[in-house]
Amino acid sequence: MISALNRRLLQAESQVYRNEILVGKVIKALENTLYKLEKKEFEELGQRSKDEAVKAALYLASHPAPTFPDYPLDAEYENNMEKVADLLDDVYSQVKDDDKMVDRGEYEDGEEEGAEGNGNSNTVSITDEEATKLCMEWKDKYNVVVGVSWGNLPYNLQQTWLEYSCDYHLQAEGKPPSREETTR
């Protein structure tokens, strides 16, 4: 009886060993198949990425950067660079906000930059609603494509656009612009 049990135990161990080898082969075959599928998916994803990059490059190539305006210099400033520098200082001490000028260069007596106190600040503070309203006006007026193109938006308003976070305010519920918006 013991020899019969030993023989059955040996047969069972032998069967387990064969099953182990078979399961190992099945797992190896599944891993190879999975690798091939993943590799194919990655290759397809890589190709789609390249296609999108080419589309973006073609779009950008078909919409060249706007030319910088050429402003002729008045004769009174032609040979007097100090006068030009003073004029530029005067202009850049103010920020053009569409139709109104906000002076940023002067401080109240005794007030220093960044000082707190009477509530007078050198930065323009507006609410999100006001910023969104202004951004929408500029977007429509200057053909801005959010996150893609400045359109005809003047440089000084581009800076204000960035200060007001217009890209953030004008994205539909935090989503990036749609493909239709980027192909205008």
Side-chain angles (χ1 to χ4, degrees):
M1 175 141 176
I2 292 185
S3 66
L5 287 175
N6 281 336
R7 198 171 7 135
R8 284 187 181 174
L9 182 60
L10 188 59
Q11 285 177 346
E13 287 176 349
S14 154
Q15 186 64 34
V16 166
Y17 180 69
R18 281 184 288 212
N19 288 343
E20 182 182 342
I21 292 172
L22 181 63
V23 167
K25 288 180 181 179
V26 168
I27 290 174
K28 186 73 171 175
L30 290 173
E31 285 175 346
N32 288 336
T33 304
L34 181 61
Y35 172 76
K36 289 176 186 174
L37 290 174
E38 287 176 345
K39 183 178 177 184
K40 183 179 178 183
E41 287 177 16
F42 282 127
E43 287 172 352
E44 289 173 0
L45 182 61
Q47 186 59 45
R48 284 195 307 246
S49 298
K50 288 177 186 175
D51 291 345
E52 288 297 320
V54 167
K55 287 178 187 175
L58 290 173
Y59 175 80
L60 291 174
S62 68
H63 294 83
T67 58
F68 287 103
D70 183 26
Y71 299 107
L73 196 58
D74 288 346
E76 68 178 289
Y77 298 110
E78 226 168 86
N79 295 320
N80 191 346
M81 284 296 124
E82 189 172 312
K83 201 170 187 180
V84 172
D86 290 341
L87 179 65
L88 288 173
D89 287 343
D90 290 343
V91 169
Y92 283 111
S93 68
Q94 299 177 350
V95 175
K96 185 166 178 11
D97 187 6
D98 222 21
D99 296 324
K100 63 185 178 202
M101 298 295 280
V102 179
D103 190 0
R104 293 202 178 193
E106 301 296 323
Y107 301 107
E108 296 286 327
D109 288 339
E111 184 180 339
E112 295 181 17
E113 185 175 0
E116 296 179 20
N118 62 1
N120 292 341
S121 172
N122 292 329
T123 60
V124 177
S125 177
I126 64 172
T127 65
D128 284 345
E129 292 80 21
E130 292 170 328
T132 303
K133 182 181 175 190
L134 278 172
C135 296
M136 283 298 295
E137 289 174 11
W138 295 335
K139 177 182 179 273
D140 295 338
K141 184 176 180 179
Y142 297 107
N143 301 315
V144 175
V145 180
V146 178
V148 175
S149 168
W150 288 116
N152 301 327
L153 190 67
Y155 179 76
N156 60 328
L157 288 181
Q158 291 177 18
Q159 300 307 309
T160 308
W161 180 282
L162 295 172
E163 288 176 20
Y164 290 175
S165 301
C166 288
D167 284 348
Y168 170 78
H169 290 300
L170 296 183
Q171 286 180 352
E173 322 241 325
K175 296 178 184 172
S178 70
R179 183 177 299 252
E180 291 145 8
E181 289 178 322
T182 61
T183 55
R184 282 193 240 184

